[in-house]
């Protein structure tokens, strides 16, 4: 890392420590690289923990313009920007970050690493310290999120469809087991939100007029719909559900797939992603990651918002040969696990959920595997 980037990285770390009011002492400008790396390590851990707390608080927050939501959005951006400096993935974005850091340093001398030795107040009773433990640097952007992002990039969908400020990772690191499995969306909303553990949700843009007129964030239920990539893309572009017999954007016709109930011209969802992600609905696909050279099984599920009382609640319709009872949600009874509707304007899509499971590493890849499986490389 050259001298200028090293200085920028240190300055940026000091600025983030001050901005987010972290109880850490900023090392003096002539401190060794190892001291600074320990400081940056602790800063990343503190920012990550702060993000986890904000995510937990936001589980019951529906107002996207609330102060807490805006704070979380800015914190996530700062974490991603710092990660970008470390990985050097985008030269243009890096230059913009460097210019912003230098500009901020000019107007905020207390954040300049060459001038400030500590952000601690003068009160001697306040003595925060850095824990100098030999812990591996905590990644700003978790590895699972990076892998899922690679898969979505590989789909080559229009970037205009996505709203990255609503991205949310529910892996074990970003959403620990200590956090709740479900939460109540809003007072008066009788449908709980079941957390999609081990999934990464990519935010999708929605029609602002529609959300305000129907008070979607306050009143509509959260559900999930497992499907194929081409059908998912078509529904997102159409901004409405597709029913059997509809022509998709790629020219193909959406038919009732083998094993599904015949003559059912309806749209099926579930309040739990564990049911919507059954192979019968979310067809697995394989892809080889260029990040770690491993092969993964991937599934795509759309997260939906559904108008209350516009759907029929019914029991699971998978027969024993198509389902695995242990995969069903333990929070929703089987006789309420499937929702059925034929009303097009009552469902919108606000997220694309991705789940990855490692099949094998690059060293164990067998050539005949690719001859038998449809693989996304």
């Amino acid at each position: 890392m050259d001298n200028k980037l090293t200085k920028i990285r240190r300055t940026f770390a000091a600025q983030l420590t001050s901005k987010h009011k972290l109880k850490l002492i900023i090392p003096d400008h002539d401190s060794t690289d190892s001291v600074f790396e320990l400081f940056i390590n602790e800063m990343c851990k503190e920012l990550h923990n702060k993000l986890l707390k904000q995510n937990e608080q936001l589980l019951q927050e529906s107002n996207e313009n609330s102060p807490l939501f805006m704070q979380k959005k800015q914190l996530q951006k700062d974490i991603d920007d710092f990660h970008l400096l470390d990985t050097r993935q985008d030269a243009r974005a890096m230059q913009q970050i460097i210019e912003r850091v230098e500009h901020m340093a000019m107007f905020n001398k207390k954040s300049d690493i060459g001038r400030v030795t500590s952000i601690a107040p003068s009160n001697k009773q306040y003595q925060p310290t850095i824990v100098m433990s030999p812990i591996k640097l905590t990644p700003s952007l978790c590895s699972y999120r990076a892998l899922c992002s690679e898969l979505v990039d590989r789909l080559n969908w229009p970037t205009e469809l996505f709203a990255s400020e609503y991205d949310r990772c529910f892996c074990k690191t970003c959403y620990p087991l200590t956090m709740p499995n479900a939460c109540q969306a809003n007072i008066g909303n009788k449908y709980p939100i079941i957390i999609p553990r081990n999934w990464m949700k990519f935010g999708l843009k929605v029609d602002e007029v529609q959300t305000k007129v129907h008070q979607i964030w306050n009143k509509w239920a959260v559900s999930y719909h497992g499907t194929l990539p081409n059908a998912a893309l078509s529904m997102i572009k159409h901004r409405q559900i597709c029913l059997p017999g509809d022509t998709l954007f790629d020219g193909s016709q959406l038919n009732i797939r083998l094993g599904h109930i015949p003559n059912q011209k309806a749209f099926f969802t579930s309040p739990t992603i564990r049911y919507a992600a059954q192979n019968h609905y979310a067809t697995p696909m394989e892809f080889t990651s260029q990040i770690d050279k491993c092969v993964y099984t991937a599934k795509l599920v759309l997260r939906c918002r559904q108008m209350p009382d516009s759907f029929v609640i019914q029991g699971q319709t998978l027969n024993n040969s198509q389902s695995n009872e242990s995969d069903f949600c333990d929070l929703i009874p089987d006789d309420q696990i499937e929702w059925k509707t034929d009303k097009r304007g009552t469902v919108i899509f606000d997220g694309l959920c991705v789940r990855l499971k490692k099949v094998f590493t690059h060293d164990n890849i067998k050539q005949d595997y690719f001859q038998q499986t449809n693989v996304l490389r």
Side-chain angles (χ1 to χ4, degrees):
M1 184 179 292
D2 56 59
N3 292 334
K4 180 178 179 180
L5 191 55
T6 299
K7 183 178 179 180
I8 289 294
R9 185 168 174 266
R10 291 182 174 188
T11 304
F12 193 22
Q15 292 174 354
L16 294 182
T17 299
S18 178
K19 177 180 179 180
H20 295 288
K21 299 179 181 179
L22 305 182
K23 295 180 180 180
L24 297 175
I25 296 177
I26 302 173
D28 190 75
H29 72 280
D30 57 357
S31 299
T32 63
D33 289 342
S34 60
V35 170
F36 255 101
E37 287 306 311
L38 286 171
F39 160 66
I40 290 175
N41 178 28
E42 294 302 319
M43 182 205 70
C44 289
K45 288 169 59 180
E46 290 289 333
L47 291 178
H48 182 74
N49 290 336
K50 190 168 187 175
L51 185 64
L52 286 177
K53 291 180 180 179
Q54 290 184 356
N55 282 336
E56 186 171 6
Q57 294 172 334
L58 283 170
L59 285 174
Q60 299 183 12
E61 176 63 66
S62 61
N63 182 8
E64 60 190 54
N65 295 317
S66 69
L68 181 60
F69 184 88
M70 301 305 294
Q71 290 173 15
K72 185 261 181 184
K73 179 180 177 181
Q74 184 59 58
L75 176 58
Q76 183 67 69
K77 185 179 187 308
D78 288 339
I79 291 174
D80 292 344
D81 285 349
F82 195 85
H83 176 75
L84 193 148
L85 277 183
D86 278 343
T87 58
R88 305 188 187 188
Q89 293 177 343
D90 188 330
R92 182 178 180 182
M94 279 184 61
Q95 184 59 38
Q96 292 175 344
I97 295 172
I98 290 172
E99 292 175 358
R100 188 168 71 249
V101 171
E102 291 177 334
H103 180 78
M104 181 62 68
M106 290 176 59
F107 292 94
N108 189 0
K109 300 299 183 181
K110 290 185 179 181
S111 293
D112 192 337
I113 200 64
R115 299 177 183 268
V116 178
T117 58
S118 175
I119 63 168
S122 57
N123 186 350
K124 293 183 179 181
Q125 295 179 351
Y126 182 89
Q127 295 294 335
T129 58
I130 302 175
V131 181
M132 296 297 187
S133 55
I135 302 175
K136 186 177 179 181
L137 181 64
T138 302
S140 308
L141 186 65
C142 84
S143 57
Y144 186 72
R145 177 172 179 160
L147 289 167
C148 292
S149 297
E150 181 190 7
L151 171 63
V152 172
D153 289 342
R154 202 83 61 83
L155 294 174
N156 200 29
W157 289 4
T159 57
E160 293 79 9
L161 297 174
F162 295 94
S164 59
E165 63 268 29
Y166 299 105
D167 291 355
R168 183 78 184 277
C169 184
F170 292 94
C171 72
K172 294 179 180 178
T173 301
C174 297
Y175 196 85
L177 295 175
T178 54
M179 296 183 71
N181 293 322
C183 68
Q184 195 66 36
N186 294 283
I187 298 176
N189 190 334
K190 59 185 178 181
Y191 306 101
I193 297 177
I194 309 299
I195 303 301
R197 287 191 177 278
N198 303 317
W199 289 75
M200 171 68 200
K201 188 207 77 174
F202 295 90
L204 297 173
K205 291 182 180 178
V206 298
D207 188 290
E208 293 185 7
V209 174
Q210 185 182 17
T211 58
K212 290 180 180 179
V213 170
H214 296 289
Q215 301 183 52
I216 287 175
W217 304 128
N218 293 327
K219 296 184 177 181
W220 287 30
V222 172
S223 63
Y224 300 91
H225 176 74
T227 187
L228 299 168
N230 64 329
L233 178 59
S234 189
M235 285 186 283
I236 295 170
K237 285 184 174 181
H238 275 296
R239 292 182 175 269
Q240 64 179 359
I241 62 176
C242 290
L243 300 176
D246 288 349
T247 300
L248 305 179
F249 265 106
D250 62 3
S252 63
Q253 188 177 67
L254 182 63
N255 297 315
I256 299 176
R257 287 192 280 167
L258 184 65
H260 287 243
I261 302 175
N263 303 319
Q264 287 282 324
K265 193 173 182 179
F267 186 79
F268 296 89
T269 59
S270 176
T272 170
I273 200 169
R274 292 176 65 178
Y275 181 79
Q278 294 288 309
N279 290 346
H280 195 54
Y281 302 121
T283 303
M285 59 182 180
E286 308 288 344
F287 92 107
T288 303
S289 170
Q290 297 303 311
I291 295 177
D292 60 6
K293 309 302 180 183
C294 295
V295 176
Y296 293 86
T297 298
K299 287 189 175 185
L300 301 181
V301 171
L302 290 174
R303 197 180 88 153
C304 316
R305 293 276 181 164
Q306 288 192 248
M307 181 183 292
D309 304 319
S310 67
F311 48 85
V312 175
I313 299 177
Q314 61 186 32
Q316 64 98 354
T317 55
L318 297 175
N319 59 45
N320 293 333
S321 64
Q322 298 163 338
S323 65
N324 183 348
E325 289 291 336
S326 64
D327 288 339
F328 293 164
C329 181
D330 53 2
L331 300 175
I332 304 293
D334 282 355
D335 60 357
Q336 300 176 24
I337 207 164
E338 194 170 275
W339 296 353
K340 173 184 174 183
T341 185
D342 58 0
K343 301 177 177 64
R344 293 185 186 275
T346 62
V347 182
I348 68 166
F349 308 104
D350 70 345
L352 173 68
C353 299
V354 176
R355 190 190 69 187
L356 300 177
K357 285 188 176 181
K358 186 179 291 186
V359 179
F360 38 62
T361 62
H362 180 73
D363 295 337
N364 295 329
I365 293 177
K366 298 180 181 179
Q367 294 299 323
D368 59 350
Y369 177 82
F370 295 108
Q371 298 176 2
Q372 302 174 10
T373 311
N374 184 18
V375 181
L376 178 63
R377 304 195 192 186

